[in-house]
Amino acid sequence: MNAALAIAPASPLLEVRGVGHFYGNRLGCQEVSFDLYPGEVLGIVGESGSGKTTLLSCLAGRLDFAEGRIRYDSRSDGLVDLATLSEAKRRVLMRTEWGIVHQNPRDGLRMGVSAGANIGERLMAVGQRHFGKIRAAAGDWLAQVEIAADRMDDLPMSFSGGMQQRLQIARNLVTGPRLVFMDEPTGGLDVSVQARLLDLLRRLVADMSLSVILVTHDLAVARLLAHRLMVMKGGHVVESGLTDQVLDDPHHPYTQLLVSSMLQV
Amino acid sequence: MDQSFVLQVRDLSKDFTVHTQGGVKIAVFAGLDLDLEAGRCVALHGPSGCGKSTLLRSLYANYKPDAGQILIRHGEAVVDMVSAEPRIVLAVRRYTLGYVSQFLRVIPRVPAIDVVAEPAILAGIPLALAREKAASLLERLNVSRRLWDLAPATFSGGEQQRVNVARGFIVDYPVLLLDEPTASLDAGNRETVVQLMEEAKARGAGLVGIFHDKEIRDRIADRLFDLPRLQSAA
Amino acid sequence: MSDILGGYNFAYLDEQTKRMIRRAILKAVAVPGYQVPFAGREMPLPYGWGTGGIQVTASVISADDVLKVIDQGADDTTNAVSIRRFFAKTAGVRTTTKTAEATLIQTRHRIPERRLTEGQIIVYQVPNPEPLRWMEPRESETRKMHALLEYGAMHVKLYEDIVHFGRIATSYDYPVRVNGRYIMAPSPIPKFDNPKMDGMPALQLFGAGREKRIYAVPPYTRVESLDFEDYPFEVQRWDQSCALCGATDSYLDEVITDDRGGRMFVCSDTDHCSERRAASDEAEGDGIRRPVEEEAAE
């Protein structure tokens, strides 16, 4: 026990208040509020259509949300309001402090360039101009995500789904982001491949003390990765709290249904 | 909270409402008070189904009580596990409050030695030292060395339980919660677990446990905490 | 200028169109390297034959200009000849093959070897004006990338070159950064010519007919070729010298001379080559026959 025991960081990285979005008359999500602290992994769970992906789009700045406020504590400019942040600054954030891991790696990778270039791109985007160093960093990251070094110059096209997903993760993490959005990162993968990916994500998230917003419908994935959960239904957050508390002692009828529907192995 | 206490429970109530079964409400306990001093062990006592495990899980914030406080001394601060934010609860679990459950929750692909070392690493112990501690605990608990680098998913119940115990004891938590830590262990390993608990007490940790084995309970517990049987509220 | 074709406005385009294009050119000069959209007109030749360059030339040419047109460095290729005739007929201007004499040069694929001077204008024909297009098909997105200086992807291309060929193998249309700001496609000139763009005393105008874009590099503007610290930009070098004029510092074309594998390397810039030979003729009178200048009579 030491001073580091101190009660975790005092100010949140992301501050979400009353966020809502409508598609015409149809509700996407509404009245979502939470704080995300550095190093925290927040899982957003719910069925398709529950509003979790809409919320993720609002948070990641891909959607001009209609209601509420999202503030992010940026390295460069301190607290910024995402709704009023210029597109230029938002895009800089996207490639420096944020990462997005898509369910389908094809949405997050450049399929036409080599694995090494996929990892190196973000470095080049932030001004790295030394080929040798970029290549070394790409090599390091391939090792981190357990891809053999001799695949560095191959196109992602020739990779398996699991490898593509790991490559996408490396591509996102190479610039040391602080906040990573993950949309069903293990969706569409075989169970054994999933396990490997989850293990990898757990390790990277802890090592880099990343803040993560993880959208998933898979409660087992949520249990393994998330520190806390928000359960969404019909666009609203119906329950939230510590991951194991929500899953082991669910209070809301919908959460109870969700948990009781989970397959036990 | 008085300096001599590491844990104080005040007026704690817990019930379950099961919506999937027509909203039936099951009261487990109400108005509980419990005090735990450093270096002492309290054994939860009462008939099966009286809520011993529920209380233990509530203390760990794995279950959410409906009323009351669970105050725990966390470094210089006192944290109420009932009302604290998740990240504070996680910090308490990381440094202050350990939990040895009956069953190991297996993490896919992670070798036994890393499963054991993980809490130590999270608590800031350097990797090499954490693995060293993990190895010595696995050794003491007679987990065969050839299993250390394998994921425990395929281990026997007893082997998994010993990995679980090692994981629970690797950090010198000031407060330890133990749910049948000796269940499914043979006499030799049971003895080791008792020693581990005694060592924890000796370094000043407060223990709350459920021990079905009377002999072990008598050896390790300083007093019993009786859970009153609640009438099931309609 | 008695031979001007009747029924057409001076230099083919109507004056309103020229004014519109001149406004685009002025904007392009004011924002070096920035692609200015313009309402490109149908021209009496197909896209890919230099319609963009011709519209720019038509908009800046005046009666007292002396026009030179080159294609791949040569004045005597079909494309160059057609365009030169086009302006001789529609504008009645004097044409030349001599870089030094020209006030206006329209080019495809080369910059003359002779250093251009103040007062000259060089017009490039551009097939693909957008250097980011190879990786981003959406115009709205590439415009944003330019606006926000998101140029990381340009280096991805060079990175891939080094990975696959051990060096930056891109040898033409090699991307440049203009005035420290916009990344620009220099049109398919060999990268050998890139250094000539840097600080050039002449005005450089670029016209893309199909894509309807005009961009410019004003005189004495910084033009840097993109590279890596450990793989600096390099131009092509040849072991040979020009078989005709002996030049060792010009861009060489390999010419097959017979069916038995005979070949030689000659200057791609025909004017440069003949100028050098003329100079050495005067000095030595070595009797090498100068190629017939096909259009000397025009």
Side-chain angles (χ1 to χ4, degrees):
Chain A
M1 292 244 285
N2 47 36
L5 169 86
I7 301 203
S11 66
L13 190 65
L14 194 70
E15 205 183 279
V16 179
R17 293 290 176 275
V19 164
H21 187 74
F22 287 82
Y23 301 98
N25 288 327
R26 198 168 57 79
L27 172 66
C29 63
Q30 201 174 23
E31 287 165 28
V32 179
S33 299
F34 64 89
D35 288 329
L36 184 73
Y37 286 83
E40 254 191 324
V41 179
L42 169 68
I44 304 177
V45 298
E47 302 167 329
S48 345
S50 61
K52 56 191 195 312
T53 300
T54 300
L55 177 60
L56 187 73
S57 297
C58 293
L59 299 174
R62 287 183 299 189
L63 202 61
D64 285 330
F65 51 95
E67 298 170 354
R69 192 178 70 179
I70 302 174
R71 293 202 296 176
Y72 170 74
D73 189 8
S74 69
R75 241 180 235 147
S76 46
D77 301 304
L79 215 54
V80 292
D81 187 327
L82 291 196
T84 57
L85 191 67
S86 71
E87 186 178 10
K89 291 233 168 187
R90 205 189 72 220
R91 287 170 70 125
V92 169
L93 275 186
M94 290 275 202
R95 57 176 193 267
T96 53
E97 300 191 24
W98 292 5
I100 298 188
V101 176
H102 299 267
Q103 174 173 6
N104 185 344
R106 283 166 183 272
D107 295 337
L109 290 175
R110 282 193 198 290
M111 300 305 283
V113 301
S114 68
N118 264 286
I119 298 175
E121 180 175 347
R122 266 172 83 121
L123 293 173
M124 296 184 244
V126 298
Q128 175 63 260
R129 290 292 176 265
H130 192 283
F131 177 83
K133 287 180 189 163
I134 292 166
R135 208 161 160 74
D140 277 356
W141 270 99
L142 282 178
Q144 290 247 36
V145 299
E146 304 171 17
I147 295 175
D150 64 1
R151 302 303 302 270
M152 174 143 54
D153 298 335
D154 294 347
L155 295 181
M157 212 90 81
S158 67
F159 287 10
S160 69
M163 281 170 77
Q164 288 181 0
Q165 197 56 296
R166 279 179 275 136
L167 180 63
Q168 192 191 182
I169 288 161
R171 172 178 160 90
N172 270 286
L173 299 188
V174 64
T175 48
R178 309 161 80 195
L179 175 59
V180 179
F181 301 94
M182 298 186 186
D183 188 2
E184 305 276 6
T186 58
L189 298 177
D190 293 343
V191 178
S192 62
V193 177
Q194 251 191 41
R196 183 174 189 187
L197 188 71
L198 285 172
D199 177 33
L200 181 79
L201 281 174
R202 262 166 49 87
R203 184 166 54 71
L204 291 173
V205 164
D207 287 355
M208 301 177 73
S209 86
L210 290 175
S211 298
V212 177
I213 294 184
L214 165 77
V215 163
T216 181
H217 68 274
D218 187 335
L219 298 184
V221 169
R223 186 189 282 275
L224 220 48
L225 289 180
H227 295 135
R228 51 189 255 255
L229 291 185
M230 288 197 327
V231 182
M232 291 193 74
K233 177 178 167 40
H236 292 267
V237 176
V238 296
E239 183 161 359
S240 64
L242 212 55
T243 298
D244 59 271
Q245 201 178 70
V246 170
L247 294 179
D248 294 340
D249 184 15
H251 279 59
H252 190 275
Y254 176 69
T255 317
Q256 291 189 355
L257 182 69
L258 211 60
V259 170
S260 64
S261 315
M262 227 174 123
L263 290 175
Q264 304 288 332
V265 182
Chain B
M1 195 156 94
D2 190 294
Q3 282 298 332
S4 59
F5 297 116
V6 289
L7 181 75
Q8 276 189 325
V9 173
R10 287 292 172 266
D11 203 19
L12 196 71
S13 303
K14 172 69 189 163
D15 44 41
F16 292 105
T17 307
V18 188
H19 295 281
T20 48
Q21 286 167 26
V24 60
K25 193 168 173 182
I26 303 159
V28 186
F29 50 75
L32 291 188
D33 292 325
L34 185 156
D35 295 312
L36 178 66
E37 304 84 356
R40 293 303 175 93
C41 175
V42 172
L44 304 183
H45 190 243
S48 178
C50 70
K52 297 188 294 290
S53 277
T54 299
L55 175 55
L56 208 60
R57 283 167 173 256
S58 297
L59 297 180
Y60 198 60
N62 178 228
Y63 284 176
K64 191 175 175 61
D66 297 281
Q69 289 182 310
I70 298 165
L71 302 173
I72 184 164
R73 185 173 306 287
H74 176 59
E76 301 296 302
V78 174
V79 171
D80 174 14
M81 296 293 274
V82 177
S83 59
E85 286 178 59
R87 66 196 181 98
I88 307 296
V89 172
L90 289 175
V92 170
R93 287 182 182 177
R94 183 170 292 189
Y95 299 106
T96 301
L97 181 63
Y99 183 70
V100 180
S101 60
Q102 283 191 56
F103 303 103
L104 176 68
R105 187 174 281 286
V106 175
I107 305 162
R109 239 173 63 106
V110 181
I113 185 131
D114 290 336
V115 169
V116 175
E118 185 181 67
I121 293 163
L122 284 176
I125 296 172
L127 183 72
L129 186 60
R131 285 184 150 232
E132 210 172 283
K133 286 187 84 168
S136 87
L137 277 164
L138 288 171
E139 191 102 44
R140 282 184 72 180
L141 287 156
N142 300 307
V143 177
S144 162
R145 196 174 275 270
R146 69 189 163 79
L147 295 178
W148 293 5
D149 291 324
L150 302 177
T154 55
F155 293 7
S156 73
E159 284 161 348
Q160 289 198 4
Q161 178 58 2
R162 279 175 278 152
V163 170
N164 205 24
V165 169
R167 181 177 157 93
F169 280 94
I170 192 163
V171 174
D172 292 339
Y173 299 108
V175 182
L176 257 179
L177 309 174
L178 305 133
D179 191 352
E180 301 269 16
T182 56
S184 70
L185 297 184
D186 61 29
N189 285 313
R190 238 181 354 248
E191 187 55 35
T192 307
V193 174
V194 171
Q195 279 172 21
L196 285 169
M197 290 190 285
E198 280 169 345
E199 288 164 21
K201 282 175 70 178
R203 65 169 167 77
L207 274 54
V208 180
I210 301 170
F211 311 101
H212 279 169
D213 186 324
K214 184 169 185 308
E215 184 208 325
I216 286 177
R217 187 166 63 223
D218 290 345
R219 276 179 64 190
I220 201 76
D222 297 288
R223 63 174 192 277
L224 300 183
F225 180 84
D226 274 298
L227 275 114
R229 181 121 184 104
L230 267 193
Q231 314 308 323
S232 191
Chain C
M1 310 299 159
S2 52
D3 291 341
I4 297 187
L5 211 56
Y8 289 96
N9 191 37
F10 176 76
Y12 185 77
L13 288 179
D14 64 273
E15 292 305 310
Q16 285 305 319
T17 298
K18 288 186 197 168
R19 287 174 65 180
M20 175 271 292
I21 293 176
R22 285 176 199 141
R23 279 196 295 271
I25 292 172
L26 285 174
K27 184 169 179 181
V29 169
V31 191
Y34 172 71
Q35 299 166 50
V36 183
F38 77 108
R41 296 293 190 249
E42 292 299 320
M43 297 302 287
L45 74 168
Y47 289 128
W49 286 57
T51 54
I54 289 172
Q55 290 180 75
V56 170
T57 298
S59 303
V60 299
I61 200 165
S62 60
D64 52 3
D65 266 316
V66 180
L67 178 69
K68 169 182 167 79
V69 183
I70 48 175
D71 179 3
Q72 307 272 14
D75 296 87
D76 54 1
T77 50
T78 315
N79 199 242
V81 171
S82 312
I83 293 171
R84 194 156 52 229
R85 281 188 182 146
F86 177 80
F87 282 111
K89 277 190 179 160
T90 60
V93 295
R94 193 153 75 80
T95 61
T96 182
T97 60
K98 294 191 174 18
T99 303
E101 276 179 23
T103 56
L104 186 58
I105 301 168
Q106 180 169 333
T107 182
R108 173 174 177 262
H109 290 190
R110 280 307 311 276
I111 297 175
E113 303 292 0
R114 170 188 277 274
R115 182 174 160 83
L116 300 185
T117 57
E118 278 182 27
Q120 287 183 309
I121 298 177
I122 180 165
V123 177
Y124 299 78
Q125 299 170 200
V126 182
N128 300 304
E130 181 48 73
L132 298 166
R133 184 68 67 229
W134 72 276
M135 54 155 286
E136 179 50 65
R138 290 166 299 176
E139 174 70 14
S140 60
E141 190 62 20
T142 50
R143 290 177 78 84
K144 235 172 233 173
M145 291 163 82
H146 281 293
L148 304 178
L149 285 167
E150 288 180 8
Y151 287 140
M154 288 314 301
H155 277 84
V156 170
K157 194 177 185 189
L158 304 181
Y159 172 99
E160 288 290 88
D161 264 11
I162 300 173
V163 163
H164 296 299
F165 307 108
R167 65 197 162 83
I168 299 177
T170 300
S171 57
Y172 64 91
D173 210 357
Y174 189 106
V176 293
R177 185 189 293 273
V178 180
N179 201 30
R181 178 59 179 84
Y182 284 95
I183 300 285
M184 184 185 90
S187 86
I189 58 170
K191 65 179 172 184
F192 179 88
D193 287 341
N194 274 21
K196 295 176 187 162
M197 306 181 89
D198 184 26
M200 184 190 281
L203 171 63
Q204 306 176 66
L205 302 176
F206 300 77
R210 184 171 26 219
E211 310 262 347
K212 299 184 171 50
R213 292 288 184 276
I214 286 171
Y215 49 100
V217 177
Y220 301 111
T221 301
R222 193 153 48 93
V223 177
E224 308 149 88
S225 303
L226 303 185
D227 62 1
F228 287 104
E229 288 158 18
D230 45 345
Y231 284 84
F233 173 78
E234 279 177 347
V235 297
Q236 296 99 323
R237 300 250 172 261
W238 288 264
D239 298 332
Q240 297 82 357
S241 53
C242 174
L244 300 179
C245 74
T248 53
D249 57 354
S250 74
Y251 189 82
L252 299 181
D253 283 338
E254 187 177 1
V255 179
I256 307 295
T257 52
D258 54 43
D259 291 342
R260 296 181 301 279
R263 64 185 61 194
M264 62 177 190
F265 285 87
V266 297
C267 287
S268 131
D269 183 340
T270 50
D271 172 59
H272 179 70
C273 195
S274 48
E275 203 173 60
R276 282 177 50 86
R277 275 177 283 140
S280 74
D281 279 354
E282 270 169 37
E284 301 172 26
D286 61 359
I288 294 180
R289 195 174 62 88
R290 292 171 61 183
V292 179
E293 282 182 41
E294 177 231 14
E295 285 171 283
E298 265 188 21

